[in-house]
Amino acid sequence: MDLTGKTAVVTGASRGLGRAIAQGMAARGANVAVVYAGNTAAAQQTVATLEALGVKSKAYQCDVAGFDATKQLVADVIADFGGVDILVNNAGIVKDGLALMLKEADFDDVIATNLKGAFNMTKHLYQHFMRKRSGRIINITSVVGLSGNAGQANYSASKAGLVGLTKSIARELAGRGVTCNAIAPGYIESDMTDAMPEKAKEAILAQVPAGRMGQPEDVAALAVFLAGEAAGYITGEVIRVDGGMCM
Ligand code: NAP
């Protein structure tokens, strides 16, 4: 899968899955705009690993929930890189709790980052992709967006919303040579899952036929494939990377 000369924008690329996706794309020759929320040191570390692979990379601090901020971000990336070929909407947060206990802000914040953030980025790149008559949009959803999860009504709703967003954008842009797909990871090792209580981790692992947590690279491999030429006839799909957890 050769991505030489392509430019990818990966949100939430300072850490975890986003960093692995950025590295996977850079390893195939793509230049990468690294978008992050506040962890500048981690974002710069990602950029350094990408530059070491011989591609161009730059970090952009931007809250994807902001409509105007993401508009400016997209303009900056296009000015810096000369265009965008691949958008990976990966930035995401959790604010868990039973719905009974969830605060209104916990619901709103998770929807704003995980779902509206992806809409914002897609909307601001929509015309750019249409004019080029090519583009790849990859949304990182979650298996809990398909199954639901007690204690994650906000997060599951945001991830289910991403599935609807993915299929709608896929339908709108298919005739323009632009694909839009979603990856639904299961239980993947990252800061997000490190924060879970040990008992919860054990309970989830017991449901994974593969018998292990996934690695960020397991997700990155699929993102790289979906970004490439060979995946040009795949659109509107939601593909699980979960070791068989939700089959
Ligand atoms: P993570 O380690 O917590 O990293 C989250 C990333 O998102 C960071 O780069 C963070 O930037 C960025 N981010 C958070 N809020 C943002 C905002 N408002 N604007 C811009 N960037 C923002 O998470 P992860 O585990 O890698 O998860 C990545 C994605 O995969 C998320 O969408 C998550 O829901 C999804 N996912 C993960 C798993 C899993 O098991 N890990 C499973 C299913 C789905 P800073 O570093 O600056 O904070």
Side-chain angles (χ1 to χ4, degrees):
M1 201 61 55
D2 185 17
L3 300 177
T4 304
K6 305 281 187 196
T7 294
V9 181
V10 183
T11 69
S14 48
R15 296 182 278 125
L17 277 57
R19 177 184 273 180
I21 291 167
Q23 289 170 336
M25 296 205 176
R28 305 300 170 116
N31 301 316
V32 185
V34 169
V35 182
Y36 69 103
N39 199 335
T40 304
Q44 292 299 352
Q45 213 182 333
T46 302
V47 167
T49 67
L50 306 186
E51 287 174 340
L53 292 166
V55 301
K56 175 174 170 167
S57 180
K58 186 173 172 183
Y60 300 82
Q61 183 171 12
C62 178
D63 178 356
V64 294
F67 188 80
D68 294 339
T70 47
K71 189 173 186 181
Q72 186 60 49
L73 165 73
V74 165
D76 290 346
V77 172
I78 290 173
D80 291 344
F81 287 82
V84 173
D85 304 284
I86 302 155
L87 166 64
V88 183
N89 287 310
N90 164 80
I93 57 169
V94 286
K95 292 197 174 184
D96 295 349
L98 294 175
L100 180 69
M101 307 301 289
L102 274 187
K103 296 188 181 73
E104 184 183 6
D106 296 335
F107 190 86
D108 291 348
D109 290 351
V110 169
I111 297 290
T113 301
N114 299 8
L115 179 55
K116 186 161 180 248
F119 169 74
N120 288 341
M121 294 299 296
T122 303
K123 164 132 179 112
H124 297 317
L125 277 164
Y126 197 106
Q127 277 190 318
H128 182 74
F129 286 152
M130 265 179 60
R131 284 197 201 104
K132 286 165 63 110
R133 301 194 75 84
S134 69
R136 294 281 190 269
I137 303 169
I138 299 163
N139 294 325
I140 307 301
T141 177
S142 166
V143 290
V144 305
L146 307 174
S147 65
N149 196 23
Q152 289 195 310
N154 49 359
Y155 182 78
S156 302
S158 74
K159 295 300 186 180
L162 270 180
V163 172
L165 180 71
T166 300
K167 294 184 180 186
S168 302
I169 298 297
R171 285 183 185 276
E172 289 184 18
L173 290 176
R176 300 287 184 140
V178 181
T179 69
C180 183
N181 292 289
I183 298 176
Y187 181 36
I188 314 290
E189 211 168 309
S190 77
D191 291 347
M192 190 180 272
T193 46
D194 280 355
M196 291 167 57
E198 279 309 316
K199 277 211 159 162
K201 289 186 193 177
E202 283 166 24
I204 294 178
L205 202 52
Q207 297 168 40
V208 181
R212 66 167 177 91
M213 290 180 79
Q215 295 301 310
E217 291 72 23
D218 293 319
V219 178
L222 177 57
V224 168
F225 172 72
L226 289 172
E229 286 299 315
Y233 201 58
I234 301 171
T235 197
E237 268 301 338
V238 182
I239 305 173
R240 290 179 298 104
V241 179
D242 68 350
M245 185 180 170
C246 285
M247 68 176 124

